[in-house]
Amino acid sequence: MSRMKRLNLINNHLSSQFPPIPYDESLDNYRKKGEDVNKEILLRHFFRDSYERIMAYRNHMANDPVFNHNDEAEFSRERKRERIIQQIASIYFKANLSYESCKEEFLKKYELLYTLCDYDIGLATRLLIHLVLYINAIENLGTSKHIEHIKRAYHLLDYGCFGMTELGHGSNVAKLETTATYDHIKREFVINSPTATSAKWWIGGLGKTSNMSVIFARLIVEGVDKGINAFVIPIRDNQTHDCPPRVIIGDCGKKIGLDGIDNGFILFRNYRVPYDSLLDKFSSITEDGKFKSSIKNKEKRLGIMMVGLIGGRVAVVCAAEQHMKSALTAALRFSAVRKQFSSTETENSVLDYPLQQYKLIPHLASIFAIRSIVLWFNENMPIIQKKIDENPEGLEVSEFHAILSACKGVASWYANSCVIQCREATGGLSYSAYANLGRIMMNASVGVTWEGDNGVLIQQTGKFILKQIQRTFKGHIIDAPTLKCIQVDHEKVMQFKARFENSEQLENESILFEIIEFRLNYLLHQSMMRLQEVTGNSKDMFDAWNKSQVYYIQELAKAYGEYIMMREYAKFVRELEEKCEKTGKVIRKLFILFSVGIIERNLASFQDSAMNAHQAKVVRDSMVRLCEELAEVCIKVIDAIAPPDSIHGSVLGAADGQVYAKLIEQVEKADGVYDKPHWLPLLQKVKQVKKT
Amino acid sequence: MSRMKRLNLINNHLSSQFPPIPYDESLDNYRKKGEDVNKEILLRHFFRDSYERIMAYRNHMANDPVFNHNDEAEFSRERKRERIIQQIASIYFKANLSYESCKEEFLKKYELLYTLCDYDIGLATRLLIHLVLYINAIENLGTSKHIEHIKRAYHLLDYGCFGMTELGHGSNVAKLETTATYDHIKREFVINSPTATSAKWWIGGLGKTSNMSVIFARLIVEGVDKGINAFVIPIRDNQTHDCPPRVIIGDCGKKIGLDGIDNGFILFRNYRVPYDSLLDKFSSITEDGKFKSSIKNKEKRLGIMMVGLIGGRVAVVCAAEQHMKSALTAALRFSAVRKQFSSTETENSVLDYPLQQYKLIPHLASIFAIRSIVLWFNENMPIIQKKIDENPEGLEVSEFHAILSACKGVASWYANSCVIQCREATGGLSYSAYANLGRIMMNASVGVTWEGDNGVLIQQTGKFILKQIQRTFKGHIIDAPTLKCIQVDHEKVMQFKARFENSEQLENESILFEIIEFRLNYLLHQSMMRLQEVTGNSKDMFDAWNKSQVYYIQELAKAYGEYIMMREYAKFVRELEEKCEKTGKVIRKLFILFSVGIIERNLASFQDSAMNAHQAKVVRDSMVRLCEELAEVCIKVIDAIAPPDSIHGSVLGAADGQVYAKLIEQVEKADGVYDKPHWLPLLQKVKQVKKT
């Protein structure tokens, strides 16, 4: 034991009511097990060019006491919000963000947001709404006259929010009720909320913080509805923070998580804004009062409005990885430390149990799948942003949108189930707030519904794939590069038999890809057959489409997302192997587990035609064995990617493995731990205790 | 619209900043759809003889403003705890509980707890710990001299808690570290906590409330460890609420839910208690200082100690039904009201979408499965309590334990996934605290780990079943009545083919039972084969057992639990049909959906041998069609069993369907909704706003 460790133990003991806690070597012992992992190589491969900057931010955060989860455990809503402003004040200007620097280095602002999200998605989102949703909307939909808004925003002279969702409409943006009526005489827009359900709702940063907002409203020109357009408008006075007359802003109140974000609502009572508020890259109104747009189709115009959501959706994918990473840091390290049962005197670490391994290790494998696709997004986002300017209706844009929609869904579902599983697998102690798993559960929960409800969003992926195959009916080829594996011939798809008889064959990368590509084809053909089958007794195509979601189009979209992730994961592993063979070998095993895991979760549909009972058994055996082998090395892997203790904030995930000591320390620090309750007189009254 | 409704609307409007909200008829319209349901008959069948009492408690709660969820949304930990004491003060003495009346009417106290749990499991648990865990432990393990404690407890003269779990040991009770050393000279016990991990931990009601506790400790007599025994001891002075010297009690601090329960820890520093503290029904110490026990085997003695957990585990099963009921009240009613998308001008209710139906309706079906098994427990608990006194090692006791262990696991997992699904299916608005789904999520989450970690607990069911089949190897018959369907002949099991070609055949009750019974047999034989397969490369039987959990024994135990639930569910439906044919028909359809749902979730293992791809498709088609048919009538079903609005507390589940109005009302009531934040100066500083 090092001198520092010993001093810490003595120090804690002196102020504690607990018997001395001997140094727990369980985690250290686990670290000695299994294959080698070069942690730095792995982490640099994980973060790529962002490595230095993320590390610098982490370092800053570790040294500022304003970043401390357990401090915040019992904060009220307003205190949490204040704390986030303190945190932003602490770190924001270190990043030196400006219009120019963010143009030059696309990832710059995302690196800051990523590090903040490792701490808490509430903190990151509070800033992301401003830095990504607000700024990118202006950048994507506005013109040069709007650049000044962006510049002010980067310097935090303005704080902006993103007013799209309304109380009555989230997914169906086309039905938003807020109106912006063009007044040609004054060349102004009159913004109005005609109904209660038209109140902009859940707008992050609106409740208490922002003075500016991008507002999406139905543009009315000469009495004609021109569809949804975006406007950048002031909503509070920068000096007094008062709302202008005819603008009502309120707070959406207590939430089940993320209380640090001041979600608000806004109502407009015929609020007038100047013409230049209109973000007019695609649509504008001529000097003589006529509406004009470079995109004729109203639906497609709406599609373009959604461009601003790309950054937010990539952030959801990214956050999924981060939630899983923090949750698994706690769950895996604690599982190594926690002892329960054995057939001998010394109890086993719960991580030694196959049941525990099976609960946790597949999620560890998924982290790298998500990270791999995030790296792809990081690379492709700037390219796509340009393509959108050139040809917003082009194939690359649609394909990117299909991939992002599917991956946003898949990744957030992964995170949700991972975090829930981590909470369950760590038993009673994770019900403590100091384990920080409850916070992460609620953070992960929102991921499946915000930035596009998963079930609705992935239907767009389904549409993209089905449109691609429909091209072949008209004699065209499938032109989306990610769908080259599509097999048009139905008979061929149905004849496919998975080519493995044992684990070794199954775990071969090309066999795995064959199977996963088959899955995509199978679900595509099944979906088409389903659509045909239900069309007869459906009111219309919309109805048939809805009847083909469960088991079919939803699954097809997920399959596509997982296929794309797997492709990027394979690349991630190949490139890592080039940097460090040993580390690459470990992550390759996680890649195989990830792929076999997809098969296992979908065994029923594979057994429809492509696999037999023996193969199903091989799949199950592989799962258990891979989990067992990887359990040996999982602590090293999570060590490599885990955020520092002060950032994940879980006593269960303490890097030094002194879990019980850390928990007791937090518990003894809490307010009133050894005090009588203030409600003792009431209790005594109920218990009929006579006053002495 | 009724006069009351109109008045309410006007009243809300007057004090609101929102435009008037027209009456929303969506839920009323949904109520007109589908088959008839006699709500009162259904609810009486659901509650049986407890109906009148539960209704009386509900009525009391509805008229006392101390029961109000949205009031509590932002309460601190201590304020929540105080509120619960106020709630207990309001209702407890209405129930007239006493030692005698609870002996006479077994369900009496459980009916009160049930109604409180409909409000919140935190409230119910705070009292259940005292009324069930503490009192039942004394009753089950103590003798006549301890009855006085029970009497005092029913009159709330004492408030008791249940000190089993320690910081270091939850599941493995045999390894508890607290010692109770017998001092023959003084005929006392010296209770001691030798290590930090031996602190009793998570003890509900200990942190701030209790003055008495049942403490489980390792009994040491003449230097020999006699295993875990229970002691009833004072832990605080009844007048001063001070801890005695040598007793340290603290609060476990902030949790991720259930903050209204004052979970605490306790440390003993050689604390002396008199001999009569020992709960001595099964073990005692003679006048000359010798340990004696009516149960020779130490392990079996430990088993008996666990009897006190029965009441708590049945409560977990019961709570699962209650969490699902509240969550689905919100999710189904909101889904009828919430409109999004359509192919025409009027948007559809989201409940009209097959995807939404598939997400929610199967959980509605599961509620009745859980309720059916709870009714069985209610009937059998008093019988088993007697059997335990007569022959604690008898078959009936083991079988009851196996059923309870499996059902505790299955029901709490059902509830967990149901509530998570309800949160997801209701989109962004359920992230509001006023939807109350977050509270229920966290309440349901704890169910899978407390009162025995599910994954560990259901292994006891697995053991029971495997022991039963092992009897046949020795020429005995399987004597457990619930396992009469076990097929010993392996070949016969493997030859089974499900007998259906279409939905109509599949949905036949006896076909469904055949399939579900096959599942039990199949998993049993697979488990035995797995055990054999791994024994060769296992260290010992313990190791082999652990290697046979994933896919095998865990699944076997779940299958058994679901089989037993299905049996009771079928009975529930048959008896209901006798009372009301129409209502019975609707619930029968839910029963079929429940059964088909089990098959669907386990299609992969059925496709190993018992079903083909065509049958798999029939199963999937049935699921979607049944959900669609039941969606028509689901509002009536949930109406019948839903708690009143003031008890479930979700604005989304408002019985009158005025969801948006209710939400806005709550939001506008919250503190500071239209105020500037107290941290505005900090924000202005960050934004470099110059003071004017």
Side-chain angles (χ1 to χ4, degrees):
Chain A
M1 197 186 329
S2 79
R3 200 165 149 268
M4 264 304 285
K5 278 178 186 170
R6 210 160 22 205
L7 279 175
N8 267 334
L9 289 178
I10 293 167
N11 184 37
N12 287 343
H13 177 52
L14 285 178
S15 56
S16 171
Q17 295 283 337
F18 279 75
I21 304 174
Y23 184 81
D24 189 332
E25 295 187 331
S26 317
L27 192 61
D28 299 331
N29 291 337
Y30 239 94
R31 285 193 173 115
K32 291 173 197 147
K33 291 188 178 189
E35 292 110 321
D36 278 351
V37 172
N38 186 316
K39 292 179 193 172
E40 200 192 322
I41 290 181
L42 180 53
L43 189 58
R44 281 184 183 272
H45 192 61
F46 200 83
F47 284 155
R48 305 292 162 93
D49 294 341
S50 307
Y51 180 89
E52 305 292 345
R53 265 202 288 248
I54 290 173
M55 289 312 200
Y57 294 137
R58 280 188 174 180
N59 200 31
H60 173 85
M61 289 162 78
N63 290 305
D64 185 341
V66 82
F67 297 92
N68 182 336
H69 284 291
N70 294 316
D71 229 35
E72 299 167 21
E74 307 205 45
F75 275 8
S76 69
R77 181 154 57 103
E78 279 312 309
R79 191 73 188 76
K80 277 209 177 112
R81 291 166 177 187
E82 176 181 30
R83 175 57 73 99
I84 287 181
I85 297 294
Q86 291 167 335
Q87 290 165 337
I88 290 174
S90 159
I91 202 166
Y92 181 77
F93 295 101
K94 306 273 167 209
N96 272 320
L97 302 183
S98 68
Y99 176 66
E100 294 75 17
S101 71
C102 288
K103 267 234 172 287
E104 202 168 301
E105 294 183 90
F106 184 85
L107 287 181
K108 204 174 178 193
K109 63 182 174 185
Y110 296 97
E111 287 157 351
L112 173 65
L113 292 169
Y114 180 90
T115 320
L116 297 180
C117 190
D118 262 348
Y119 181 81
D120 186 61
I121 196 175
L123 164 59
T125 302
R126 188 91 174 268
L127 203 49
L128 175 134
I129 292 156
H130 167 75
L131 277 183
V132 178
L133 296 186
Y134 172 73
I135 288 180
N136 290 12
I138 301 174
E139 213 163 344
N140 291 323
L141 306 175
T143 49
S144 58
K145 65 185 171 194
H146 298 111
I147 290 174
E148 192 53 31
H149 288 301
I150 303 176
K151 289 187 173 171
R152 287 181 55 84
Y154 276 119
H155 293 102
L156 294 193
L157 299 174
D158 286 332
Y159 208 100
C161 62
F162 185 79
M164 180 179 277
T165 299
E166 294 177 359
L167 179 53
H169 288 90
S171 293
N172 192 7
V173 178
K175 284 277 184 184
L176 293 179
E177 299 175 83
T178 305
T179 52
T181 306
Y182 178 61
D183 174 351
H184 187 53
I185 296 163
K186 296 193 176 170
R187 200 156 169 81
E188 286 178 348
F189 298 102
V190 183
I191 301 188
N192 194 42
S193 310
T195 61
T197 46
S198 76
K200 294 287 168 189
W201 197 269
W202 278 150
I203 310 307
L206 169 65
K208 302 289 173 193
T209 316
S210 304
N211 64 301
M212 293 294 294
S213 181
V214 167
I215 291 288
F216 291 80
R218 183 172 297 290
L219 174 61
I220 312 287
V221 182
E222 295 180 315
V224 181
D225 180 349
K226 298 295 180 183
I228 306 302
N229 276 268
F231 303 81
V232 56
I233 62 171
I235 52 165
R236 279 190 183 98
D237 182 279
N238 221 349
Q239 289 287 337
T240 64
H241 214 62
D242 288 324
C243 299
R246 301 182 171 277
V247 172
I248 295 151
I249 296 179
D251 193 305
C252 289
K254 179 72 182 163
K255 300 192 298 290
I256 63 178
L258 300 176
D259 268 329
I261 307 175
D262 53 323
N263 294 90
F265 58 87
I266 189 165
L267 288 159
F268 301 99
R269 294 186 178 155
N270 294 320
Y271 176 53
R272 288 187 164 265
V273 296
Y275 176 78
D276 283 351
S277 305
L278 176 68
L279 295 173
D280 58 350
K281 189 186 283 178
F282 299 102
S283 302
S284 57
I285 294 170
T286 58
E287 295 283 329
D288 54 347
K290 302 291 169 207
F291 177 79
K292 74 169 198 185
S293 177
S294 58
I295 303 159
K296 296 289 160 250
N297 182 307
K298 207 164 156 185
E299 265 180 46
K300 284 188 179 158
R301 275 209 304 275
L302 183 67
I304 290 300
M305 292 289 133
M306 304 295 114
V307 168
L309 298 174
I310 289 180
R313 284 179 185 156
V314 171
V316 175
V317 181
C318 207
E321 171 251 295
Q322 300 184 276
H323 293 139
M324 293 170 79
K325 198 171 56 187
S326 286
L328 281 164
T329 298
L332 291 172
R333 285 181 179 158
F334 179 67
S335 297
V337 174
R338 180 72 170 179
K339 305 264 182 352
Q340 212 80 183
F341 298 107
S342 79
S343 56
T344 62
E345 256 315 291
T346 332
E347 288 181 288
N348 301 333
S349 288
V350 297
L351 188 50
D352 295 339
Y353 293 99
L355 183 58
Q356 187 78 349
Q357 295 162 358
Y358 176 76
K359 283 181 183 176
L360 298 177
I361 310 288
H363 295 295
L364 181 64
S366 299
I367 287 181
F368 294 92
I370 301 177
R371 185 67 201 167
S372 303
I373 195 70
V374 166
L375 289 169
W376 185 86
F377 287 131
N378 284 350
E379 207 179 306
N380 285 277
M381 254 195 301
I383 302 169
I384 285 298
Q385 293 281 11
K386 263 188 214 153
K387 298 265 181 208
I388 290 168
D389 278 347
E390 292 160 13
N391 176 15
E393 298 165 47
L395 174 66
E396 288 99 332
V397 177
S398 329
E399 190 178 33
F400 182 89
H401 181 62
I403 294 173
L404 180 52
S405 299
C407 290
K408 186 272 179 186
V410 169
S412 60
W413 273 320
Y414 278 6
N416 208 23
S417 62
C418 165
V419 178
I420 289 162
Q421 187 63 273
C422 286
R423 189 346 254 150
E424 178 174 342
T426 43
L429 290 183
S430 61
Y431 210 71
S432 166
Y434 317 120
N436 263 298
L437 282 168
R439 177 180 60 83
I440 302 173
M441 257 172 88
M442 286 316 190
N443 290 355
S445 173
V446 81
V448 302
T449 52
W450 72 2
E451 301 301 312
D453 178 272
N454 282 3
V456 177
L457 190 61
I458 65 171
Q459 292 184 35
Q460 303 195 20
T461 306
K463 256 182 204 144
F464 172 78
I465 302 170
L466 284 158
K467 270 191 185 163
Q468 279 282 316
I469 197 155
Q470 276 164 359
R471 287 173 52 84
T472 65
F473 306 158
K474 297 175 193 152
H476 304 295
I477 58 157
I478 287 172
D479 53 2
T482 56
L483 287 174
K484 288 291 172 214
C485 67
I486 288 301
Q487 174 61 262
V488 181
D489 184 343
H490 178 76
E491 286 308 308
K492 275 205 181 140
V493 172
M494 296 311 292
Q495 279 161 14
F496 175 85
K497 301 287 169 207
R499 290 190 301 133
F500 68 91
E501 289 300 318
N502 54 44
S503 283
E504 200 188 331
Q505 291 166 353
L506 167 66
E507 293 168 17
N508 174 295
E509 186 177 319
S510 58
I511 298 277
L512 286 169
F513 268 105
E514 262 181 40
I515 297 170
I516 298 297
E517 287 172 4
F518 156 77
R519 179 181 171 223
L520 191 58
N521 276 298
Y522 180 71
L523 288 168
L524 173 57
H525 283 265
Q526 292 287 108
S527 296
M528 288 192 295
M529 279 165 62
R530 174 71 182 183
L531 277 166
Q532 254 176 337
E533 184 189 336
V534 296
T535 300
N537 53 29
S538 297
K539 274 176 281 176
D540 50 24
M541 261 315 288
F542 179 74
D543 191 27
W545 178 260
N546 290 321
K547 284 181 177 154
S548 305
Q549 291 303 314
V550 179
Y551 302 125
Y552 300 99
I553 295 169
Q554 292 275 313
E555 296 308 310
L556 169 64
K558 287 181 218 166
Y560 175 71
E562 291 182 319
Y563 164 64
I564 301 290
M565 281 185 180
M566 199 174 135
R567 258 181 29 159
E568 294 308 310
Y569 200 161
K571 189 174 156 223
F572 180 97
V573 171
R574 274 195 309 275
E575 290 172 359
L576 178 61
E577 281 166 337
E578 279 165 29
K579 294 176 184 169
C580 174
E581 206 186 314
K582 280 183 177 177
T583 308
K585 205 179 134 195
V586 171
I587 307 302
R588 172 167 294 282
K589 200 175 267 184
L590 282 166
F591 161 74
I592 299 203
L593 177 63
F594 175 75
S595 313
V596 176
I598 297 174
I599 300 171
E600 184 233 32
R601 286 194 303 278
N602 298 284
L603 265 181
S605 85
F606 285 112
Q607 290 202 75
D608 281 349
S609 68
M611 283 185 201
N612 57 35
H614 167 71
Q615 289 172 312
K617 185 172 185 312
V618 172
V619 169
R620 293 182 186 115
D621 286 352
S622 268
M623 283 300 291
V624 174
R625 187 183 41 73
L626 288 166
C627 287
E628 190 191 346
E629 290 172 16
L630 284 159
E632 291 255 303
V633 73
C634 70
I635 297 296
K636 285 180 200 159
V637 174
I638 200 72
D639 277 350
I641 59 172
D645 285 0
S646 65
I647 291 182
H648 66 68
S650 175
V651 292
L652 303 187
D656 66 1
Q658 306 312 299
V659 165
Y660 296 113
K662 290 264 155 62
L663 174 61
I664 289 169
E665 192 190 325
Q666 285 304 333
V667 164
E668 288 197 302
K669 259 192 214 165
D671 272 354
V673 54
Y674 292 115
D675 297 347
K676 292 181 196 176
H678 75 265
W679 39 268
L680 183 58
L682 173 68
L683 177 66
Q684 301 290 52
K685 203 178 140 198
V686 175
K687 291 178 68 189
Q688 302 150 66
V689 173
K690 288 179 195 77
K691 280 181 191 139
T692 44
Chain B
M1 198 187 326
S2 78
R3 199 164 151 269
M4 265 304 286
K5 277 178 185 168
R6 209 161 21 206
L7 279 174
N8 268 333
L9 289 179
I10 293 167
N11 184 38
N12 287 343
H13 177 50
L14 286 178
S15 55
S16 171
Q17 296 282 337
F18 279 75
I21 304 173
Y23 184 81
D24 189 331
E25 296 188 330
S26 317
L27 192 60
D28 299 330
N29 291 338
Y30 238 95
R31 284 191 175 118
K32 290 175 198 148
K33 290 187 178 190
E35 292 109 320
D36 277 351
V37 171
N38 186 317
K39 293 179 192 173
E40 200 192 321
I41 291 180
L42 180 53
L43 188 58
R44 281 184 183 272
H45 192 63
F46 200 83
F47 284 156
R48 305 290 161 94
D49 294 341
S50 306
Y51 179 89
E52 305 292 347
R53 266 201 289 249
I54 291 174
M55 288 313 198
Y57 295 138
R58 281 188 174 180
N59 199 31
H60 173 85
M61 290 161 78
N63 289 305
D64 186 341
V66 81
F67 296 93
N68 181 337
H69 283 291
N70 294 317
D71 229 35
E72 298 167 20
E74 306 204 47
F75 274 9
S76 70
R77 180 154 57 104
E78 279 312 309
R79 193 70 190 77
K80 277 208 177 114
R81 292 165 177 189
E82 177 182 31
R83 175 57 70 100
I84 286 181
I85 297 295
Q86 291 167 335
Q87 291 164 337
I88 289 174
S90 158
I91 202 167
Y92 181 77
F93 293 102
K94 306 273 166 210
N96 272 319
L97 302 183
S98 69
Y99 175 66
E100 294 75 18
S101 70
C102 290
K103 266 233 171 289
E104 203 168 301
E105 294 182 271
F106 184 86
L107 288 181
K108 204 173 176 192
K109 65 182 174 186
Y110 296 97
E111 287 157 351
L112 173 64
L113 293 168
Y114 180 90
T115 321
L116 297 179
C117 190
D118 262 347
Y119 182 81
D120 186 60
I121 197 174
L123 163 60
T125 302
R126 187 93 172 269
L127 203 49
L128 175 134
I129 292 155
H130 168 74
L131 278 185
V132 178
L133 296 186
Y134 172 73
I135 288 181
N136 291 14
I138 301 175
E139 212 163 344
N140 290 324
L141 306 174
T143 49
S144 57
K145 66 184 171 192
H146 298 111
I147 290 174
E148 193 52 31
H149 288 301
I150 302 176
K151 289 186 172 171
R152 286 181 56 82
Y154 276 120
H155 293 103
L156 294 194
L157 300 172
D158 286 333
Y159 209 100
C161 62
F162 185 80
M164 180 179 276
T165 299
E166 294 176 357
L167 179 54
H169 288 90
S171 294
N172 192 7
V173 178
K175 284 278 184 183
L176 293 179
E177 297 175 84
T178 305
T179 52
T181 307
Y182 177 62
D183 174 351
H184 187 54
I185 296 162
K186 297 195 176 171
R187 201 157 169 79
E188 285 178 346
F189 298 101
V190 183
I191 302 188
N192 194 41
S193 310
T195 61
T197 46
S198 76
K200 295 287 169 190
W201 197 269
W202 279 150
I203 311 306
L206 169 65
K208 302 290 172 193
T209 317
S210 303
N211 64 302
M212 294 295 293
S213 180
V214 167
I215 291 288
F216 291 80
R218 184 171 296 290
L219 174 62
I220 312 288
V221 182
E222 295 180 314
V224 181
D225 180 348
K226 299 294 180 185
I228 306 303
N229 276 267
F231 303 82
V232 56
I233 63 170
I235 51 165
R236 279 192 182 98
D237 183 279
N238 222 348
Q239 289 288 335
T240 65
H241 214 62
D242 287 325
C243 299
R246 300 181 173 277
V247 171
I248 294 150
I249 297 179
D251 193 304
C252 289
K254 180 73 183 161
K255 302 193 295 290
I256 64 178
L258 298 177
D259 268 329
I261 308 175
D262 54 322
N263 294 90
F265 58 86
I266 189 165
L267 289 159
F268 300 99
R269 292 186 178 154
N270 294 319
Y271 176 54
R272 288 186 165 264
V273 296
Y275 176 77
D276 283 351
S277 306
L278 177 67
L279 295 174
D280 58 350
K281 189 187 281 178
F282 299 101
S283 302
S284 57
I285 294 169
T286 59
E287 294 284 330
D288 56 346
K290 303 291 170 206
F291 177 80
K292 75 170 197 188
S293 177
S294 58
I295 303 159
K296 297 287 160 251
N297 183 308
K298 208 165 156 184
E299 265 180 47
K300 286 189 179 158
R301 276 210 303 277
L302 183 65
I304 290 299
M305 293 288 134
M306 303 296 113
V307 168
L309 299 174
I310 287 180
R313 284 180 185 156
V314 171
V316 175
V317 181
C318 208
E321 170 250 297
Q322 300 183 275
H323 292 140
M324 294 169 79
K325 198 171 54 186
S326 287
L328 281 165
T329 297
L332 291 173
R333 286 182 179 159
F334 179 67
S335 297
V337 174
R338 179 72 170 178
K339 303 263 185 349
Q340 213 81 183
F341 296 108
S342 78
S343 56
T344 62
E345 256 314 291
T346 333
E347 288 181 288
N348 301 334
S349 288
V350 296
L351 187 50
D352 296 339
Y353 292 99
L355 183 58
Q356 187 79 348
Q357 295 162 358
Y358 177 76
K359 283 181 181 175
L360 298 177
I361 309 289
H363 295 294
L364 180 65
S366 298
I367 287 182
F368 293 91
I370 301 177
R371 184 66 201 168
S372 303
I373 196 71
V374 167
L375 289 169
W376 185 86
F377 286 132
N378 283 351
E379 206 180 308
N380 284 276
M381 253 196 301
I383 302 169
I384 285 298
Q385 292 282 11
K386 266 188 210 150
K387 297 265 182 208
I388 290 168
D389 278 348
E390 292 159 14
N391 177 16
E393 298 166 45
L395 173 66
E396 287 100 332
V397 177
S398 329
E399 190 178 33
F400 183 88
H401 182 63
I403 293 173
L404 180 52
S405 300
C407 290
K408 187 270 179 188
V410 169
S412 60
W413 273 320
Y414 277 6
N416 209 23
S417 63
C418 164
V419 178
I420 289 161
Q421 187 63 272
C422 286
R423 194 336 261 153
E424 178 174 341
T426 44
L429 290 182
S430 62
Y431 211 71
S432 166
Y434 316 119
N436 263 297
L437 282 168
R439 176 180 61 83
I440 302 173
M441 256 173 89
M442 286 316 190
N443 290 354
S445 172
V446 82
V448 302
T449 54
W450 73 1
E451 301 301 312
D453 178 272
N454 282 4
V456 178
L457 190 61
I458 65 171
Q459 293 184 34
Q460 303 196 20
T461 305
K463 257 182 202 141
F464 172 77
I465 302 171
L466 284 158
K467 269 190 187 163
Q468 279 281 316
I469 197 154
Q470 275 163 1
R471 287 173 53 84
T472 66
F473 306 157
K474 297 173 193 154
H476 302 296
I477 57 156
I478 287 172
D479 53 2
T482 56
L483 287 173
K484 287 294 172 210
C485 67
I486 288 301
Q487 174 61 261
V488 180
D489 184 343
H490 179 76
E491 287 309 308
K492 276 206 181 138
V493 172
M494 296 311 293
Q495 278 159 15
F496 174 86
K497 300 288 168 209
R499 291 191 298 134
F500 68 91
E501 288 301 318
N502 54 45
S503 282
E504 199 188 333
Q505 290 166 353
L506 166 66
E507 293 168 18
N508 173 295
E509 184 177 321
S510 58
I511 299 276
L512 287 168
F513 268 103
E514 262 183 38
I515 297 171
I516 298 297
E517 286 172 6
F518 156 77
R519 179 180 171 222
L520 191 59
N521 276 298
Y522 180 71
L523 288 168
L524 173 56
H525 284 265
Q526 292 288 108
S527 295
M528 289 192 294
M529 280 165 62
R530 175 69 181 184
L531 278 165
Q532 255 177 336
E533 183 189 337
V534 297
T535 300
N537 54 28
S538 298
K539 276 176 280 178
D540 50 23
M541 261 315 289
F542 178 76
D543 191 26
W545 177 261
N546 290 321
K547 284 182 177 154
S548 306
Q549 290 304 311
V550 179
Y551 302 123
Y552 301 99
I553 294 169
Q554 292 275 315
E555 297 308 311
L556 169 64
K558 286 181 219 166
Y560 176 72
E562 291 182 319
Y563 164 64
I564 301 291
M565 280 185 182
M566 201 175 135
R567 256 182 31 159
E568 294 309 309
Y569 200 162
K571 190 174 155 222
F572 180 97
V573 171
R574 274 197 307 276
E575 290 172 359
L576 178 62
E577 281 166 336
E578 279 165 30
K579 292 177 186 169
C580 174
E581 207 187 312
K582 280 184 177 176
T583 308
K585 205 179 134 196
V586 171
I587 306 303
R588 173 167 294 282
K589 199 174 266 183
L590 283 166
F591 161 73
I592 296 190
L593 176 63
F594 174 74
S595 313
V596 176
I598 297 174
I599 300 171
E600 183 234 30
R601 286 194 302 278
N602 298 284
L603 264 181
S605 86
F606 285 112
Q607 290 202 78
D608 281 350
S609 68
M611 283 183 200
N612 57 36
H614 167 69
Q615 289 172 311
K617 184 172 186 312
V618 172
V619 169
R620 293 182 187 117
D621 286 352
S622 268
M623 283 300 292
V624 174
R625 188 183 40 73
L626 287 166
C627 287
E628 190 192 344
E629 290 173 15
L630 284 159
E632 291 255 302
V633 72
C634 71
I635 296 298
K636 283 179 201 160
V637 174
I638 200 72
D639 277 350
I641 59 172
D645 285 0
S646 65
I647 291 183
H648 67 67
S650 175
V651 292
L652 303 187
D656 65 1
Q658 305 313 298
V659 164
Y660 296 112
K662 290 265 155 58
L663 174 61
I664 289 170
E665 192 189 327
Q666 286 303 334
V667 164
E668 288 197 302
K669 260 191 214 164
D671 273 354
V673 53
Y674 292 114
D675 298 346
K676 293 181 195 175
H678 76 265
W679 39 268
L680 183 58
L682 173 68
L683 177 67
Q684 301 289 53
K685 203 177 139 197
V686 176
K687 290 177 69 189
Q688 302 151 67
V689 173
K690 285 177 198 81
K691 280 180 192 138
T692 43

